[in-house]
Amino acid sequence: MAACVTQQNPDPSFTLSLPVADSNPTLVQGTQKDLNVAIGRQNGFSEAVSLSLEKRGGGSLATGLSYSFNPGTASGTSSTLTLNVSTGTAPGVYDLQVTGTAGRATQYAYLTLTVQEKPQPGSFSLAVNPSSRSLERPASGSANASAEVSIVRDKFSEAVSLSLEQADGKPLPTGVSAGFSPASATGGSSTLTLTVSPQAQAGSYSLRVKGTAGGTTKYAPFTLSVTAPAPPPPPPPPPPGGANLTLLRSYTWMQSSPEGDQPAVEAMFYRPRQFKSGVTIPDEQNHGAIDDAGAYQGWDVLTPPNGGKHGGVWQYDKPVFVRLTLSRDARLAVVWRADPARVPNWLKNNWSEQGKVRIAGQDRRVFVKNFSAGQVVELGSVYDPGQRQAQNLETYWVLFAEKDGTPPAEPPQLGSPAAEPNKACPQWVHDQYTTEVTMPNGAKRVLATWHPQVDPVYWCYFGHDHGSDPGLLAPGYKVAFGYVQDDLHNSGVLPEPHPGFKNYVWERDGYRWLFVHHFGTGGAGRVCRQFHSLEVAVASASTGEIVAKLHINTDFGPSTNNNTDLPLEATCPQGVLTPSQVADQSNGERKIHVYDGTQGSLNGYEPWRSDVSGNILGLDLGGLTFDTVNPITACTGPVCSSLMRIGNSTGETRLFSFATDPGGPALSIDASKAPGGGGEFFTDVYGKKLLPPSDPGAVRQYVKPGLRLEVRNPRHTECFTRDAFFMFYEGCDLAANVPQAFMNIEGALTDKN
């Protein structure tokens, strides 16, 4: 009997999507438009899906905006959404979401509606579709994107001269340029082409298209997001005990979406040393039985998604389908499981064919090639670009061996029980991830530090994630979880559990920033715990010099009911303020879902907004807010005495926003406002009082003298990552355009995340 690597069969589920043409509609005041909503049904899902429309993140639609679905409860694979924009709807950009519910399951599809002004007789109005674009800053040359400018006229025939400028009328930022075709438009449209050069700074820019004709000038808002190219993964620390890292370090497949190809890890699995005769590898088409592994016995195997579950969301002829990084030099083999007579050029012309293996009763051709450590390996699709002929559900497998073709050796076991690939890690593996810190009074402490979702030696699962690899901030940088500890933690009344430490690394204006925030959406402690630890570190992106490193127990205000925005009703431990008591003394907030018997009460993000007023660190967080897209639990009722799981959420998809109010404070660090004008100094855990380093409660702080950083974002922007392995937050964009990346590697995260 064949051995079987166990994997649960996918549950029946559904998806919602809009075609690209319908995801960014423009409607003039007083008009309506029909949009198509596709309902993808997977693995036998047959329930009726109830559809509704709301603003993105949940909430009522703008005044004058209405809708209907036909059908409103869909048993088939589509529904028509009719959008109605009245003459009273204010012109502007609206981020919306279609919400579909079936039982306890909820799915979303997102769209951005631009409402264009209905011009007065003898005038015109402008709108841009789409209303935002995102471009990655190129290392050389330029990057380009286009948008369509709509010109609506009412008894107006003059040519409209078009230009692009910042929202305040200033010239475009350095490295950003624009052109229009035509630049002087006599018709109803013009094409805007944006160009970004290597001199552009990463950021989100509020711009406007300016149209001038005679004595009339009109504007249309537009947002350009310039993202920083993801840095190469930081070198991994040397494994303990002389063990080797697994040959494969990270992987993604490229998933089609309205925003373009997006990196994904869903339904992809790496199985070290498991390509063996007699083993059955889980496969979505049940074609994974290895009859004869031949010369590839004992190699590692990577299985991309395969079959009907993803047939509607990928293309089979994209230039790059799979992208890998390697820990060390390796020999790779592609096991071709599709039509043996239709091997694409990227494979047959660049790899060496070496023998066959037999899988599911079929002989499969094998192609081999060597690659170097750290090299980004890009593999094509089932068909060459433009050559797709029919959907082929059998994607290839990728095998890995040492560079001489030797199967990788099993790593030494340094504890008990044994660590096994594709299973939960034993505690001794987790306990290897520590760092030693020297406290201000000279005492030494060994604290837990960052680790990836999956251990890179044993490929076992930790069940929780800590966000960005801190080595992205600066080479060798380590975070010390629990460096700031208050009395609630030390006494055990409301401790900060280890899985709750999350990192966020991002870049702006030549500096890398790191937030290390403690929170969680799975536990009851968040209902009553007002203060949570936060580290803010900043480094030069070019040199790695640390220019700021601040620790503060940050006020996240009262927990509030997401349905009413009122403080939660809760009984807190003795001596701990209730949410109602906190509400009058804090500008922070933790908005928690409260189940009111409807699915809608469980929809949307869980945002935590910070308040660091009164600190002496020279730090202003500009309303820094952490958003969990898929919170794990909700209160079971208005009195939050117990929690319920929200579907199968694991809380790993997290965004953040800051300084989105043009009239409010920026995210800033100013050494001139720190004690002594910067340098090293010591405070209490709240960053409000200077302490001598000998004080047991002293916290070390550092701001480079002369440093002054100030960062802002446009309204309605969120910062995001699409990299499940290293989680570099590559850019910030309008909420409606932020990709909702699946970050749960091999589905191994749990509700303890």
Side-chain angles (χ1 to χ4, degrees):
M1 179 181 292
C4 182
V5 181
T6 59
Q7 175 189 343
Q8 290 183 337
N9 291 324
D11 295 327
S13 60
F14 72 96
T15 61
L16 297 179
S17 62
L18 287 91
V20 175
D22 287 350
S23 61
N24 286 281
T26 296
L27 276 76
V28 179
Q29 291 171 312
T31 64
Q32 69 178 41
K33 186 172 185 178
D34 289 343
L35 309 177
N36 182 62
V37 179
I39 304 170
R41 297 178 175 272
Q42 301 159 353
N43 306 307
F45 187 85
S46 59
E47 292 186 46
V49 179
S50 297
L51 298 166
S52 61
L53 185 72
E54 56 190 348
K55 73 177 183 180
R56 183 151 186 180
S60 302
L61 297 176
T63 301
L65 181 60
S66 61
Y67 72 93
S68 63
F69 284 95
N70 184 21
T73 300
S75 300
T77 57
S78 67
S79 178
T80 299
L81 164 61
T82 301
L83 275 175
N84 295 276
V85 175
S86 76
T87 55
T89 305
V93 178
Y94 298 90
D95 300 328
L96 308 176
Q97 67 184 27
V98 176
T99 301
T101 59
R104 294 291 296 275
T106 302
Q107 294 291 340
Y108 305 96
Y110 301 104
L111 64 150
T112 298
L113 168 66
T114 299
V115 175
Q116 185 169 358
E117 176 190 6
K118 181 180 181 181
Q120 297 296 318
S123 187
F124 68 96
S125 68
L126 301 176
V128 189
N129 189 351
S131 59
S132 68
R133 281 295 194 190
S134 180
L135 284 170
E136 182 177 298
R137 183 184 65 213
S140 61
S142 62
N144 301 283
S146 62
E148 199 70 15
V149 179
S150 167
I151 306 171
V152 173
R153 303 166 180 267
D154 190 336
K155 300 177 182 177
F156 188 85
S157 59
E158 292 188 42
V160 179
S161 296
L162 298 167
S163 60
L164 187 68
E165 60 189 19
Q166 295 195 57
D168 58 5
K170 294 179 181 178
L172 293 175
T174 300
V176 178
S177 59
F180 292 86
S181 180
S184 181
T186 56
S189 66
S190 177
T191 299
L192 162 64
T193 300
L194 294 145
T195 301
V196 170
S197 75
Q199 287 70 46
Q201 295 290 341
S204 189
Y205 298 101
S206 294
L207 310 175
R208 66 185 184 186
V209 172
K210 179 180 179 181
T212 303
T216 302
T217 299
K218 296 288 185 177
Y219 300 97
F222 184 77
T223 300
L224 172 65
S225 293
V226 179
T227 63
N244 280 325
L245 300 170
T246 54
L247 289 162
L248 180 61
R249 188 153 188 231
S250 68
Y251 58 75
T252 59
W253 61 279
M254 303 308 293
Q255 184 177 42
S256 300
S257 78
E259 296 80 26
D261 287 351
Q262 303 286 342
V265 295
E266 183 180 5
M268 200 169 188
F269 291 85
Y270 176 55
R271 303 185 184 278
R273 304 176 301 281
Q274 294 175 45
F275 191 79
K276 297 178 179 179
S277 301
V279 167
T280 295
I281 299 295
D283 176 82
E284 289 160 315
Q285 296 297 306
N286 297 317
H287 296 162
I290 305 171
D291 305 311
D292 185 359
Y296 304 94
Q297 175 81 8
W299 286 33
D300 300 350
V301 57
L302 174 71
T303 57
N306 190 43
K309 180 177 180 182
H310 298 278
V313 297
W314 71 25
Q315 298 170 349
Y316 288 87
D317 58 353
K318 56 178 81 252
V320 176
F321 178 50
V322 172
R323 184 173 286 124
L324 317 169
T325 60
L326 301 174
S327 297
R328 61 185 188 276
D329 296 350
R331 180 169 296 174
L332 272 60
V334 170
V335 178
W336 188 249
R337 302 196 304 150
D339 186 341
R342 297 185 182 275
V343 178
N345 290 327
W346 70 264
L347 185 58
K348 67 183 179 183
N349 293 345
N350 298 288
W351 295 56
S352 172
E353 185 168 2
Q354 294 188 13
K356 291 182 172 65
V357 296
R358 190 168 181 81
I359 301 174
Q362 299 286 328
D363 287 337
R364 303 297 187 182
R365 301 168 69 180
V366 181
F367 298 81
V368 173
K369 190 174 181 179
N370 279 31
F371 293 89
S372 302
Q375 184 173 355
V376 177
V377 179
E378 294 184 336
L379 307 179
S381 299
V382 173
Y383 298 107
D384 284 314
Q387 299 301 309
R388 177 171 38 162
Q389 299 181 29
Q391 188 183 61
N392 191 325
L393 300 182
E394 298 289 348
T395 51
Y396 50 79
W397 287 354
V398 187
L399 309 182
F400 302 78
E402 305 295 344
K403 62 183 179 181
D404 62 357
T406 303
E410 185 173 342
Q413 299 289 337
L414 305 179
S416 180
E420 300 181 59
N422 309 109
K423 295 184 179 180
C425 294
Q427 186 63 39
W428 63 265
V429 178
H430 188 275
D431 291 345
Q432 296 176 87
Y433 291 89
T434 60
T435 186
E436 184 178 82
V437 296
T438 302
M439 302 304 290
N441 62 5
K444 304 285 187 182
R445 290 175 62 192
V446 176
L447 297 172
T449 191
W450 179 87
H451 59 72
Q453 287 188 40
V454 182
D455 182 77
V457 172
Y458 299 98
W459 208 259
C460 59
Y461 306 138
F462 290 116
H464 60 268
D465 84 281
H466 292 299
S468 303
D469 184 336
L472 293 166
L473 176 75
Y477 190 88
K478 281 194 169 187
V479 293
F481 297 148
Y483 176 76
V484 172
Q485 296 180 349
D486 60 13
D487 291 339
L488 289 177
H489 179 90
N490 294 330
S491 65
V493 174
L494 285 175
E496 293 194 326
H498 168 77
F501 290 99
K502 311 298 184 185
N503 301 346
Y504 308 75
V505 176
W506 54 286
E507 183 179 326
R508 184 72 61 85
D509 300 333
Y511 288 94
R512 296 262 174 89
W513 291 68
L514 164 67
F515 300 134
V516 184
H517 172 218
H518 185 276
F519 79 141
T521 63
R526 76 190 196 276
V527 175
C528 292
R529 190 180 236 289
Q530 175 184 359
F531 290 88
H532 290 254
S533 59
L534 176 71
E535 175 183 340
V536 180
V538 184
S540 165
S542 58
T543 67
E545 177 194 6
I546 304 297
V547 297
K549 187 175 182 179
L550 302 170
H551 301 84
I552 183 171
N553 217 26
T554 303
D555 183 358
F556 284 94
S559 56
T560 62
N561 184 321
N562 74 314
N563 302 314
T564 65
D565 290 333
L566 296 174
L568 281 175
E569 300 176 47
T571 301
C572 296
Q574 185 175 0
V576 177
L577 296 179
T578 65
S580 295
Q581 292 171 321
V582 172
D584 295 332
Q585 54 182 260
S586 173
N587 291 319
E589 183 182 24
R590 307 182 308 286
K591 188 173 289 188
I592 298 176
H593 291 68
V594 175
Y595 186 55
D596 65 3
T598 68
Q599 183 62 40
S601 63
L602 302 178
N603 296 340
Y605 301 169
E606 180 172 315
W608 287 36
R609 187 180 69 244
S610 62
D611 176 11
V612 291
S613 56
N615 79 82
I616 62 172
L617 309 179
L619 172 68
D620 196 317
L621 292 178
L624 175 65
T625 300
F626 297 98
D627 276 336
T628 302
V629 175
N630 55 338
I632 299 171
T633 62
C635 297
T636 55
V639 177
C640 193
S641 56
S642 60
L643 301 176
M644 61 182 289
R645 182 90 179 268
I646 301 177
N648 293 315
S649 294
T650 50
E652 82 286 354
T653 305
R654 297 179 296 272
L655 314 173
F656 67 89
S657 64
F658 60 85
T660 57
D661 180 0
L667 170 64
S668 62
I669 299 176
D670 189 344
S672 69
K673 296 180 180 179
E680 185 178 75
F681 56 99
F682 305 90
T683 71
D684 66 340
V685 294
Y686 302 101
K688 295 187 175 183
K689 183 171 64 175
L690 277 174
L691 293 178
S694 58
D695 191 298
V699 176
R700 178 180 285 106
Q701 316 282 9
Y702 173 73
V703 180
K704 183 179 180 180
L707 182 71
R708 191 176 190 280
L709 301 176
E710 185 174 296
V711 186
R712 290 184 179 276
N713 269 342
R715 289 186 184 275
H716 311 304
T717 52
E718 299 262 14
C719 302
F720 62 92
T721 179
R722 298 176 297 172
D723 177 3
F725 279 87
F726 307 106
M727 290 197 185
F728 178 73
Y729 279 74
E730 62 200 75
C732 307
D733 205 344
L734 289 176
N737 300 326
V738 169
Q740 302 294 305
F742 181 89
M743 309 298 284
N744 187 349
I745 299 172
E746 301 188 3
L749 295 176
T750 72
D751 60 350
K752 302 300 187 288
N753 191 40

